């Protein structure tokens, strides 16, 4: 059901925020749940206490590897567009406009988190 809400919200360009994690003392559990929420497509998580914000935010930020891959993809997309190509292959995977927009989203999150200039 959560995935269905995320899918529908994404189509409307809405950002889905995951629900609160109520155990204030289980920071590893919060981090694990935040990583899972990110895998489902959530862009944030509700925090109810200041100690929850550090791990929560880092779990929802793109990794250095994801940032580098997104940068490569955006650069390759621009080069292929300049050459008049539409969809193309990068690292054995098809890249088209929706994939490029997802990569731009990764870079936007990285910038917002101060991980990228």
């Amino acid at each position: 059901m959560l995935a269905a809400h995320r899918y529908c919200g994404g189509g409307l360009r809405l950002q889905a925020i995951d629900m609160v994690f109520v155990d204030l003392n289980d920071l590893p559990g919060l981090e694990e749940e935040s990583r899972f929420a990110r895998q489902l497509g959530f862009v944030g998580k509700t925090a109810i206490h200041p100690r929850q914000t550090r791990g929560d935010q880092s779990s929802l930020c793109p990794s250095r590897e994801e940032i580098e891959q997104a940068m490569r993809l955006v650069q390759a997309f621009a080069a292929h567009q300049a050459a008049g190509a539409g969809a193309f292959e990068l690292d054995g995977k098809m890249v088209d406009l929706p994939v490029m927009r997802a990569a731009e989203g990764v870079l936007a999150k990285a910038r917002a988190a101060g991980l990228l200039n």
Side-chain angles (χ1 to χ4, degrees):
M1 178 119 170
L2 288 175
H5 287 287
R6 174 61 190 118
Y7 178 76
C8 293
L12 298 171
R13 296 195 177 183
L14 299 174
Q15 295 183 347
I17 307 296
D18 193 28
M19 61 187 270
V20 70
F21 186 79
V22 296
D23 189 339
L24 299 178
N25 297 313
D26 184 10
L27 297 182
L30 170 63
E31 217 168 304
E32 181 181 338
E33 188 172 290
S34 296
R35 278 193 297 276
F36 181 66
R38 184 168 175 250
Q39 289 173 346
L40 291 176
F42 290 94
V43 299
K45 185 153 185 67
T46 305
I48 56 173
H49 192 277
R51 81 173 78 133
Q52 292 181 319
T53 59
R54 184 168 184 248
D56 185 34
Q57 291 172 0
S58 64
S59 300
L60 291 161
C61 293
S63 68
R64 176 57 47 198
E65 181 180 286
E66 290 170 314
I67 294 168
E68 290 171 1
Q69 177 65 17
M71 290 171 59
R72 284 185 59 238
L73 193 146
V74 169
Q75 291 170 352
F77 189 88
H80 281 84
Q81 289 290 296
F88 63 97
E89 180 183 331
L90 180 66
D91 300 331
K93 297 177 183 171
M94 186 196 81
V95 175
D96 59 3
L97 187 58
V99 174
M100 195 277 302
R101 284 189 176 146
E104 288 178 329
V106 168
L107 298 178
K109 287 179 192 174
R111 284 186 196 96
L115 302 172
L116 188 63
N117 294 328

